[in-house]
Amino acid sequence: MKHPIRFLRSLAVATALACTGTSLMAPPQAVAAEETPVHGGTLTAIIQPEPPMLILGLNQQAPTQTVAGKIYESLLTYNFDLSPRPSLAKSWEVSDDGLTYTFHLQEGVTWHDGEPFTSKDVLFSFTKFLPDTHPRARALMSRAESITAPDDRTVVITLKEPFPAFLQGFEMSTTPIMPAHIYEGTDYQNNPNNNTPIGTGPFMFDEWVKGSYIHLVKNPNYWQEGKPYLDDIYFKVIPDAASRALALENGEVMQSQYNDIEPFDVQRLAALPHLQVIRKGYEFVAPLMWLEINHRVEPLGDKRFRQAILYALDREFIRDRIWFGLGRVATGPINSVTKYYDPNVPRYDYDPDKAIALLDEMGLEPDGDGVRATVKFLPLAYGETWQRLAEYVKQALGKVGVKVVLESTDAAGWGKRVANWDYEITTDFLYQYADPSIGVSRTYLSSNIRQGVLFTNTMGYKNPEVDRLFEEAAKEVDPEKRQDDYSQLQRLIVEDVPVAWLLEMEFPNILNTRVHDAITTAIGVNETYADTWISPE
Amino acid sequence: MTRDFLLAFARNKGAVIGLAIVAVIILMAVFADVLYPQDPWDMVGLPFAPPMTDGMLMGSDMLGRDIAAGIVHGARVSLLIGLTSTLAAVFIGVLIGAIAGYYGGWLGDLLMRFTELFQTIPNFVLVVVIVAIFTPSLTSIVTAIALVSWAPLARLVRGEVLSLRSREFVQAAVTCGQSNGTIIVKQILPNCLSPIIVSASLMVATAILLESSLSFLGLGDPNAMSWGFMVGSARTVLRQAWWMSFFPGVAILVTVLGLNLIGEGLNDAFNPRLRRKRTA
């Protein structure tokens, strides 16, 4: 560990010299645009929790993605607006009938061990490795009628029926390309090379000291000429939240992501002159948070009751006071950064009187204590912030006569109870994966009411029209017609309030101001970092 | 006798102060609804308001709940849990201790080994496990605290009973043909009341601390405003807002201190010779 010490000393100087304060809202890339990238330097980043392994094809937990995203690559990556852009595929075509996808691969790509990368690796990944190990990739590739490689640089996929969201499935967490020469014909889970990941990415695995750090070094033979700029990257494991904030504060690390920093600490850190907060880079996952409501329990099955819940909640208060400003008030089932979002839906602005009127209409009269109905609330056991949310919901619903009794459980107990429909109201958040037919429909389709499976239609919501539109939209090739379907869907679902949408969640990336071009795509910190550079002190 | 005892107690300044503190806390708990009629969970002011703003004596917490209201209503939870769990623990402890001490033999051995079982498991760990299994609620917390607190008392009572059962007045009762139960309840227990009272008063303090620690860890009853919960939920914003954890922390400190002072005072008043020896 010679590097970090030297680096720390120089960083201390840099911190002292830094005078450009960046506020929470400042455009992150403005500074970088005027400067030209320089080579060299070491990036230090927090990684939390420590990933179980680095073989991206075998494990896709968030920390694995962040580290292994530098080692492995995929065919495509996505701009902030979710339009695809080249990675291992330099170009691609989709036939007019929406059935045939042709990818042309980059020239001169080699694996970290020197073997050439060809269409054989892509074929192996899509037809053998990933369907065996990765549920999301398996679901995607099961839509293919055939996957072929006419030559070393071309891959052709033919679908059984049109599925326009298919093109959103080629980033590194869904379909990372794995090396065929290492895994073909072996037991993937127990391959002896699983401790030393071999990818095509700009950084190569160097060393992993368990419980301490993971060290990646520059790939000198990277296929993009002159890249990467960084010499190496250290991912440091820091299990304690307060220590993570301190490490950013004193310059020991230069990057944090996801929930590394608790919401209440973000504003404090953002005010420091050597740190900047970038909220972009989560467009692909686009998490949406809601109150999940079990329709099987009376009176929660009545849509007027669910609408009343939404009217009774001040969601701006939730964003500003509980999430400390991180997030956007949700308007409906589709996150505003996901494709086919339509803002033109019925609104449920904070209005307790409307909530009371709806409850009156249902005939729920207040008793002697002003209680119209009693519901049990099982908060998500993910810590402090979620508990505050539960306390707020209890008070806010209490104001309109809905008494909330808080239950408590641990994370495992929560998953078990929600999956088995043993709850009345709970909190939940789901990733949307760029397209409504991948990450949104699963929550509302009545065909996805599956007891025992988490993140399905656990509410028991049924609307035949919604089912029909989701199925139609998933196959619709014409983008305009597709938008029509989804717009119609959003209005229908928002009217029904199957769940009470709270916030489109934002995760803060907190970066040292010396780090440039880190968050450049919709997958943010999971990007390869081939373009990332550090300005000299 | 009573007068002597009161005089002895009043002579101890610390005990009187302790009594005053606890009296204030009890009054707070009794008149909570008069002092702060609103629900302590209500968000009545701006979040993060420092003390003395918006008419909030101790400021507000991160959701705008009045801290003073939380302290006053929290006194109820703390006292309720402290008293009920102590009562339950005293009942178990005295029962087991008295039987073991009076009958002795294999029954006494068995009961004492059982007691030791509870004494060897760290209190707090056992409480956490019990509450986690039975999901946090006032009942499960009281039960858990009672279950870990009775063991030392059982040993204490056994010792007292052992020494008393060979005394003449007990022998006299036996010759009179009184039943074992009557002898334990009418002859022996009244004579070992003072150590029981002293340790019970200290147990109340321990119970309050245990409940606070549970709530601090997020294992409190999520529907009850308690001091431990207030400290626990505010510790994360300690650097931004000291008052949120400071005032409930002080409330816990003062209450536990008051109860300990009373315990000391009672001990001294019950054992005047001991006290004189110490002050000499």
Side-chain angles (χ1 to χ4, degrees):
Chain A
M1 286 280 286
K2 253 184 296 171
H3 286 301
I5 295 165
R6 195 177 61 208
F7 159 73
L8 271 182
R9 200 182 306 132
S10 51
L11 192 78
V13 178
T15 317
L17 291 176
C19 52
T20 46
T22 316
S23 83
L24 207 57
M25 300 302 291
Q29 304 301 336
V31 190
E34 309 155 9
E35 297 177 38
T36 38
V38 289
H39 284 269
T42 301
L43 176 71
T44 44
I46 291 171
I47 197 71
Q48 175 59 33
E50 187 165 18
M53 58 161 18
L54 293 178
I55 310 299
L56 194 50
L58 297 176
N59 180 290
Q60 297 85 29
Q61 280 168 266
T64 312
Q65 288 184 30
T66 305
V67 180
K70 320 277 173 284
I71 302 170
Y72 293 96
E73 290 178 301
S74 50
L75 292 188
L76 304 174
T77 181
Y78 299 88
N79 293 310
F80 290 126
D81 67 0
L82 300 171
S83 58
R85 73 182 208 185
S87 184
L88 281 177
K90 79 178 162 202
S91 63
W92 56 94
E93 295 113 39
V94 183
S95 65
D96 289 339
D97 59 6
L99 285 175
T100 310
Y101 289 70
T102 310
F103 295 93
H104 305 281
L105 307 181
Q106 303 280 3
E107 312 270 334
V109 182
T110 55
W111 293 97
H112 292 162
D113 58 3
E115 291 284 319
F117 157 82
T118 66
S119 57
K120 197 172 148 244
D121 295 300
V122 180
L123 216 59
F124 167 72
S125 302
F126 288 179
T127 58
K128 291 180 184 152
F129 192 102
L130 296 174
D132 200 56
T133 59
H134 184 357
R136 203 143 45 85
R138 186 187 310 137
L140 192 77
M141 290 308 161
S142 69
R143 295 177 179 276
E145 176 79 48
S146 71
I147 305 175
T148 55
D151 62 58
D152 266 7
R153 306 254 71 86
T154 315
V155 174
V156 180
I157 305 177
T158 312
L159 301 187
K160 293 170 190 159
E161 60 179 1
F163 184 64
F166 197 67
L167 201 58
Q168 304 300 133
F170 293 95
E171 46 67 66
M172 56 83 223
S173 84
T174 320
T175 47
I177 306 302
M178 305 301 293
H181 67 280
I182 287 176
Y183 287 101
E184 183 114 60
T186 69
D187 173 4
Y188 308 140
Q189 301 287 353
N190 298 310
N191 189 296
N193 289 298
N194 282 354
N195 291 324
T196 49
I198 300 287
T200 57
F203 294 93
M204 305 191 297
F205 175 77
D206 176 54
E207 186 191 12
W208 185 350
V209 179
K210 291 267 157 84
S212 181
Y213 65 88
I214 300 170
H215 185 212
L216 307 182
V217 293
K218 179 181 187 160
N219 173 5
N221 305 314
Y222 189 53
W223 55 270
Q224 289 190 54
E225 206 63 46
K227 289 180 188 173
Y229 298 108
L230 298 171
D231 286 338
D232 56 351
I233 305 178
Y234 279 95
F235 287 100
K236 297 195 170 184
V237 182
I238 309 177
D240 173 58
S243 312
R244 289 198 291 275
L246 195 65
L248 274 172
E249 215 172 332
N250 66 20
E252 189 192 337
V253 295
M254 306 170 93
Q255 176 188 311
S256 76
Q257 58 272 331
Y258 286 92
N259 298 311
D260 289 351
I261 301 300
E262 301 277 353
F264 51 79
D265 261 341
V266 173
Q267 274 175 327
R268 190 173 62 82
L269 293 178
L272 298 175
H274 71 287
L275 294 177
Q276 54 180 331
V277 174
I278 301 176
R279 300 171 180 218
K280 291 184 145 211
Y282 297 97
E283 290 78 4
F284 190 84
V285 285
L288 188 70
M289 176 215 308
W290 58 67
L291 289 188
E292 193 148 312
I293 300 168
N294 193 339
H295 296 202
R296 301 166 191 90
V297 179
E298 281 310 309
L300 302 175
D302 191 320
K303 85 173 173 194
R304 289 172 297 180
F305 193 86
R306 303 193 297 265
Q307 288 170 340
I309 290 180
L310 214 40
Y311 279 124
L313 297 175
D314 183 353
R315 293 178 286 169
E316 276 167 20
F317 182 95
I318 294 176
R319 179 195 57 199
D320 295 339
R321 299 302 176 188
I322 303 177
W323 259 268
F324 292 83
L326 289 167
R328 303 171 292 267
V329 171
T331 59
I334 300 183
N335 190 315
S336 61
V337 298
T338 303
K339 293 185 104 178
Y340 304 106
Y341 167 77
D342 189 340
N344 185 20
V345 291
R347 292 180 64 90
Y348 295 90
D349 294 328
Y350 176 53
D351 191 344
D353 293 335
K354 269 194 190 163
I356 290 171
L358 280 162
L359 296 173
D360 281 339
E361 192 189 312
M362 287 175 67
L364 293 171
E365 297 297 329
D367 68 5
D369 297 327
V371 177
R372 297 160 186 270
T374 304
V375 293
K376 289 192 197 136
F377 186 177
L378 182 73
L380 193 58
Y382 281 3
E384 284 294 296
T385 313
W386 298 92
Q387 200 58 39
R388 292 294 89 72
L389 174 65
E391 288 157 16
Y392 171 75
V393 169
K394 178 182 156 97
Q395 288 315 108
L397 294 186
K399 288 236 164 66
V400 300
V402 177
K403 186 181 171 191
V404 176
V405 179
L406 297 182
E407 303 180 277
S408 68
T409 178
D410 56 7
W414 177 87
K416 208 171 157 197
R417 287 188 56 183
V418 174
N420 287 298
W421 310 339
D422 177 22
Y423 73 101
E424 294 190 7
I425 295 187
T426 183
T427 22
D428 198 0
F429 72 94
L430 253 67
Y431 287 169
Q432 304 210 320
Y433 300 115
D435 194 286
S437 57
I438 300 174
V440 178
S441 59
R442 56 177 170 162
T443 308
Y444 307 100
L445 280 172
S446 67
S447 58
N448 207 26
I449 300 177
R450 294 151 68 191
Q451 191 164 21
V453 187
L454 209 51
F455 309 130
T456 55
N457 182 349
T458 35
M459 308 87 69
Y461 171 62
K462 285 185 203 115
N463 183 334
E465 185 62 8
V466 167
D467 288 347
R468 189 187 66 77
L469 280 166
F470 264 127
E471 267 155 41
E472 189 179 294
K475 292 179 222 161
E476 182 55 64
V477 183
D478 180 356
E480 265 176 47
K481 281 191 195 152
R482 205 161 179 240
Q483 179 66 63
D484 278 352
D485 283 347
Y486 280 124
S487 293
Q488 226 180 312
L489 260 171
Q490 285 170 78
R491 281 189 277 280
L492 265 176
I493 296 179
V494 170
E495 168 70 24
D496 280 347
V497 194
V499 299
W501 305 281
L502 299 178
L503 298 181
E504 300 174 1
M505 296 171 79
E506 285 184 317
F507 296 122
N509 301 302
I510 305 183
L511 291 159
N512 196 296
T513 45
R514 283 176 59 213
V515 181
H516 306 278
D517 295 333
I519 310 300
T520 54
T521 68
I523 60 171
V525 290
N526 299 340
E527 195 45 78
T528 60
Y529 277 24
D531 296 322
T532 307
W533 55 283
I534 295 179
S535 50
E537 302 119 52
Chain B
M1 158 77 195
T2 328
R3 202 160 157 271
D4 284 353
F5 170 76
L6 283 178
L7 272 177
F9 187 82
R11 225 175 289 135
N12 185 334
K13 280 202 200 77
V16 176
I17 294 174
L19 195 65
I21 293 174
V22 173
V24 170
I25 307 279
I26 292 176
L27 284 177
M28 245 164 61
V30 171
F31 292 104
D33 285 332
V34 182
L35 289 166
Y36 288 94
Q38 89 274 19
D39 187 345
W41 294 93
D42 268 350
M43 292 132 204
V44 289
L46 268 180
F48 283 93
M52 309 301 282
T53 44
D54 285 347
M56 290 183 291
L57 193 62
M58 300 176 183
S60 68
D61 74 356
M62 50 273 165
L63 294 185
R65 297 176 289 221
D66 191 341
I67 299 205
I71 301 248
V72 170
H73 284 265
R76 285 188 168 181
V77 175
S78 293
L79 288 183
L80 179 81
I81 289 183
L83 291 175
T84 43
S85 59
T86 301
L87 274 180
V90 165
F91 178 77
I92 308 174
V94 168
L95 187 74
I96 292 187
I99 293 176
Y102 188 81
Y103 293 101
W106 66 269
L107 181 64
D109 280 347
L110 190 76
L111 287 173
M112 278 307 106
R113 296 298 90 74
F114 180 66
T115 310
E116 277 157 16
L117 192 72
F118 276 85
Q119 277 190 299
T120 46
I121 305 172
N123 275 1
F124 190 61
V125 176
L126 188 57
V127 168
V128 166
V129 170
I130 295 173
V131 171
I133 291 174
F134 292 102
T135 69
S137 71
L138 284 182
T139 328
S140 69
I141 293 169
V142 167
T143 315
I145 295 180
L147 276 179
V148 302
S149 319
W150 63 268
L153 191 72
R155 289 197 75 88
L156 181 81
V157 172
R158 174 178 168 269
E160 291 284 321
V161 174
L162 262 182
S163 78
L164 285 173
R165 64 170 297 207
S166 51
R167 301 276 278 276
E168 282 94 355
F169 69 94
V170 178
Q171 314 249 308
V174 174
T175 25
C176 287
Q178 285 189 8
S179 74
N180 287 337
T182 321
I183 293 174
I184 293 177
V185 175
K186 290 226 169 124
Q187 307 295 340
I188 298 183
L189 282 186
N191 282 294
C192 55
L193 211 54
S194 53
I196 295 178
I197 291 177
V198 171
S199 57
S201 71
L202 297 175
M203 272 161 69
V204 176
T206 318
I208 290 179
L209 272 183
L210 274 175
E211 188 278 332
S212 300
S213 319
L214 278 177
S215 300
F216 179 85
L217 292 180
L219 282 169
D221 184 332
N223 296 291
M225 177 64 82
S226 83
W227 295 337
F229 160 78
M230 293 171 79
V231 180
S233 65
R235 73 182 191 278
T236 46
V237 287
L238 190 63
R239 292 176 70 174
Q240 290 101 311
W242 57 271
W243 60 91
M244 294 181 199
S245 30
F246 176 76
F247 291 116
V250 168
I252 297 173
L253 174 81
V254 167
T255 311
V256 172
L257 182 72
L259 286 165
N260 274 305
L261 287 174
I262 292 181
E264 287 270 305
L266 285 174
N267 197 27
D268 290 355
F270 280 129
N271 305 297
R273 247 165 290 143
L274 259 179
R275 180 174 56 93
R276 242 169 277 139
K277 231 179 274 165
R278 205 185 305 154
T279 39

